[in-house]
Amino acid sequence: MPASPPAAGRDDGLPKPWGTIIAFLLPALTLYVGFTAYPAIRTLWNSFHRVLPRREEFIGLANYVELARDDIFWRAVRNTIVWACTSPLIEVTVALLLALALYAKVPGARFFRVAWFTPVLMSYVVVGILWLWIYNNDWGPVNVAMRALGLGAWTRPWLGDPATALPSLIFVTSWMWVGFNMVVLLAALHSLPKEVIEAAELDNCGWGGKLVFVILPLVRATLLNLIVLSFIGKMKIFDLVFITTKGNPLWATETVSTYVYKRAFEWTTFDLGYASTVATVWFVIVLATVLTLTWAFRQREKLEY
Amino acid sequence: MAIVRRSLLLIALALYTSFAAGPFVWAAMMSLRTTTEIHRNHFAFPNPAHWDKFSDAWFKSNYAVYFANSVQVVVVAVLILTVVGAMAAHCLARYKFRFNRVIYFILFSTIIFPPQITIISLFQILVQYGLYNSKLGLTLVYVAIQLPLTIYILESFFARIPADLFDAARMDGYSDWEIFWRVALPIALPAVATTVILNFILLWNEFLYAVVLITEEANRTLPLGIQRFLGDTQEDVGMIATGLMIAIIPVIVVYAFFSERLIQGMTAGAVK
């Protein structure tokens, strides 16, 4: 019997062991339908209803109309999108610089790599509490260091000031994820063919030239991949805000995730319908942006080397 | 000149290292000091080191319960995930049938879903079935949220196992289940280890689903316990630091022994 290629996919016309196939897939599909597909559809259904603890009533598009005029929601959307657009760029840029430094064979590269990766292993709860302290107005290291450097006039409660709260939290997520991006980029750099880089060196290409014309195009796919991944992560951000600011001050750090949580479980309206509407609209926005990004970033021409 | 540039580079890297790891060192120092000591000087070494703070947190502040809950929920969820995920991944990689790619694509696309789209209804559903505020309910939800990524990682590995191997096993009289359990799974062990590590870390740190689905003190996982502790004792910095270390230490211990595996596990899926 000729060995068939391992690629799964289209029907090859042979009789199928349907019993076996169903037995293998059933547990996963049951869990998927029960805990992902059904809840997602139910959220959509909820969004057209007022959902109170003991009764539900159909209210058509009323929730959507209210949403369009909900200033807090649009504030949360703006905050989340600012977060999702700035953080990935900071992360990837710093990570690329660090990865290039380690790629240049500095002593202790292995140690640096392992140390920098640490923050991403911690939960947002742990990270959030740590940075609450770091930003503390009276004794946080940030303000202490600034006073020591004679910048006392610039100190402030970083998370309590509407002007600095969101940037301060964006900084925290970047701090957390740089190491992760660095490790992935370093792996991509190490998998580059040595000959190409050596050829560039022979052509008397300086470090800057080598970076822009040789290395960046070669790791382009990885870079874009990391940006999309980080973007998706920031569109979901919840824990960090919930632990540190709860969306305060004055909704300066409200994200869509925290707003959904508050509307569903903290506001005394007890209406799950409106929160479901927010979730549904946000779901559509996230899906649309991610698909657009993936489409825009798709590899137009495959680089051969 | 080259030496100067090199040392400048090293200094910059050392500075970045203290920036990346400093907060943890600081928290570790504070975890061994009392709040009074900390407020006298926030950046001093623990002298003397108050190790008894750890037993205080463990026994008096209920961390033993939180820790046990986290271990129970995460270990059971990871076990179910590994078996159920591997079965599905093996099936999708090995058998050709109608809808194979459709099922794969539906599962895969779930990875980008924002959690809000399911969490409100999951709350309703679990209340309905008496699984709200129970470790079993949270475990099942954890399996469901990590299933797509697990299947995605395992499927790409299973798909690379040559089909000849399965044909040979079949001729030796292996059943479909034995082929999965005794041939495919052992070969895929590195990929399985990757998903185990990834799921363990992500679920150990999970907060959103836990905070929505668990309210009772006796069922709280570690992240919830820490958050509650923070709310109860805003000012007791020293004790909160001890609590943080209890949550961090298992991860650090695993990381110390398996740093490469862990890095590989966490970055799986990011590299194309």
Side-chain angles (χ1 to χ4, degrees):
Chain A
M1 200 165 72
S4 51
R10 231 153 299 139
D11 208 309
D12 55 6
L14 294 171
K16 301 291 167 284
W18 280 110
T20 315
I21 292 171
I22 290 170
F24 272 124
L25 280 179
L26 198 63
L29 289 185
T30 312
L31 281 162
Y32 182 81
V33 170
F35 292 93
T36 305
Y38 169 55
I41 293 165
R42 186 156 169 181
T43 303
L44 180 66
W45 192 84
N46 277 346
S47 73
F48 300 108
H49 292 74
R50 179 170 295 125
V51 185
L52 298 170
R54 300 237 173 276
R55 78 199 152 82
E56 294 178 6
E57 60 179 298
F58 180 74
I59 51 167
L61 292 172
N63 282 333
Y64 287 88
V65 174
E66 194 189 333
L67 184 72
R69 290 190 306 237
D70 184 344
D71 290 337
I72 307 178
F73 170 70
W74 291 108
R75 184 72 200 270
V77 168
R78 210 178 68 205
N79 289 339
T80 314
I81 289 182
V82 166
W83 202 324
C85 290
T86 49
S87 204
L89 297 179
I90 303 173
E91 284 164 27
V92 166
T93 314
V94 179
L96 184 66
L97 291 175
L98 292 173
L100 286 170
L102 293 197
Y103 186 64
K105 300 213 170 54
V106 285
R110 220 191 87 84
F111 165 78
F112 286 131
R113 180 167 164 275
V114 169
W116 297 346
F117 194 77
T118 325
V120 89
L121 299 171
M122 305 305 157
S123 69
Y124 271 121
V125 176
V126 169
V127 168
I129 295 175
L130 280 177
W131 283 85
L132 268 181
W133 293 339
I134 293 173
Y135 285 135
N136 184 292
N137 193 30
D138 302 319
W139 48 267
V142 176
N143 282 351
V144 169
M146 286 178 79
R147 282 188 206 107
L149 293 171
L151 296 169
W154 294 75
T155 60
R156 59 183 78 205
W158 295 92
L159 294 175
D161 184 332
T164 53
L166 185 63
S168 302
L169 287 187
I170 293 176
F171 186 81
V172 175
T173 50
S174 305
W175 167 82
M176 192 166 168
W177 286 94
V178 159
F180 175 88
N181 287 280
M182 191 283 301
V183 165
V184 175
L185 279 170
L186 189 62
L189 288 176
H190 279 307
S191 70
L192 294 183
K194 294 273 177 297
E195 310 86 64
V196 178
I197 292 166
E198 278 160 15
E201 271 160 16
L202 284 181
D203 288 345
N204 236 345
C205 208
W207 250 108
K210 214 158 65 174
L211 178 65
V212 175
F213 298 115
V214 183
I215 294 178
L216 278 186
L218 288 177
V219 296
R220 179 174 171 274
T222 310
L223 280 174
L224 296 181
N225 218 1
L226 285 173
I227 289 176
V228 172
L229 209 64
S230 168
F231 180 86
I232 297 174
K234 303 309 175 290
M235 294 289 265
K236 298 176 181 174
I237 196 111
F238 171 83
D239 316 15
L240 182 64
V241 180
F242 192 77
I243 289 292
T244 53
T245 63
K246 293 234 170 179
N248 294 322
L250 291 172
W251 298 287
T253 58
E254 194 78 79
T255 65
V256 179
S257 304
T258 56
Y259 188 52
V260 170
Y261 179 87
K262 285 182 182 175
R263 287 302 296 241
F265 305 112
E266 279 185 353
W267 285 33
T268 46
T269 49
F270 298 112
D271 172 28
L272 295 178
Y274 187 74
S276 301
T277 311
V278 179
T280 308
V281 169
W282 187 239
F283 170 72
V284 173
I285 296 178
V286 170
L287 216 61
T289 13
V290 171
L291 288 180
T292 315
L293 276 182
T294 326
W295 175 79
F297 287 172
R298 75 195 186 283
Q299 190 83 355
R300 284 191 196 82
E301 69 282 12
K302 188 98 183 81
L303 278 170
E304 295 286 347
Y305 52 76
Chain B
M1 196 55 209
I3 290 176
V4 175
R5 265 179 44 195
R6 217 164 174 75
S7 15
L8 277 179
L9 179 67
L10 267 180
I11 290 169
L13 296 186
L15 277 178
Y16 186 80
T17 308
S18 56
F19 170 65
F24 300 112
V25 177
W26 188 40
M29 280 172 11
M30 288 200 289
S31 73
L32 293 172
R33 307 172 66 215
T34 65
T35 302
T36 332
E37 287 172 352
I38 292 172
H39 280 306
R40 219 174 292 134
N41 177 1
H42 286 87
F43 308 100
F45 280 100
N47 183 30
H50 297 277
W51 292 101
D52 51 308
K53 283 179 65 199
F54 277 84
S55 66
D56 275 0
W58 189 259
F59 294 111
K60 290 187 196 148
S61 303
N62 237 353
Y63 273 93
V65 175
Y66 306 147
F67 197 92
N69 287 340
S70 265
V71 168
Q72 189 190 337
V73 169
V74 173
V75 167
V76 175
V78 169
L79 277 178
I80 301 178
L81 262 171
T82 308
V83 176
V84 170
M87 279 166 63
H90 170 73
C91 180
L92 291 171
R94 160 122 177 79
Y95 299 98
K96 295 177 183 180
F97 56 95
R98 235 170 181 338
F99 307 126
N100 179 317
R101 289 297 95 177
V102 177
I103 293 174
Y104 176 79
F105 180 77
I106 290 175
L107 286 173
F108 174 61
S109 58
T110 316
I111 293 175
I112 58 174
F113 279 24
Q116 285 72 31
I117 195 68
T118 58
I119 200 152
I120 298 168
S121 320
L122 273 175
F123 165 75
Q124 290 177 289
I125 294 165
L126 293 197
V127 168
Q128 248 165 28
Y129 292 105
L131 288 171
Y132 175 64
N133 206 355
S134 82
K135 279 174 265 182
L136 176 63
L138 187 65
T139 309
L140 290 175
V141 169
Y142 276 2
V143 173
I145 57 174
Q146 288 305 114
L147 201 54
L149 187 62
T150 309
I151 294 178
Y152 170 70
I153 294 174
L154 290 178
E155 201 268 354
S156 65
F157 196 92
F158 279 128
R160 290 204 303 267
I161 301 175
D164 305 13
L165 209 60
F166 297 118
D167 295 336
R170 183 170 306 282
M171 277 181 227
D172 286 347
Y174 278 47
S175 70
D176 284 293
W177 176 256
E178 282 172 325
I179 288 178
F180 164 67
W181 194 248
R182 303 238 218 115
V183 181
L185 209 54
I187 295 175
L189 220 50
V192 171
T194 300
T195 60
V196 167
I197 287 167
L198 182 66
N199 289 330
F200 178 84
I201 297 278
L202 293 181
L203 293 179
W204 184 261
N205 292 338
E206 206 287 324
F207 179 72
L208 172 58
Y209 287 90
V211 85
V212 171
L213 302 175
I214 299 283
T215 51
E216 217 168 85
E217 176 72 5
N219 290 330
R220 282 181 211 272
T221 55
L222 261 176
L224 287 186
I226 295 173
Q227 183 235 1
R228 206 209 62 142
F229 199 70
L230 179 72
D232 286 358
T233 59
Q234 282 289 357
E235 303 306 320
D236 197 353
V237 177
M239 232 24 216
I240 298 171
T242 311
L244 291 189
M245 289 318 286
I246 292 180
I248 294 177
I249 286 170
V251 177
I252 294 288
V253 168
V254 177
Y255 194 49
F257 285 101
F258 305 105
S259 58
E260 286 311 310
R261 255 260 113 81
L262 212 68
I263 289 177
Q264 205 190 353
M266 287 290 287
T267 53
V271 202
K272 248 200 267 200

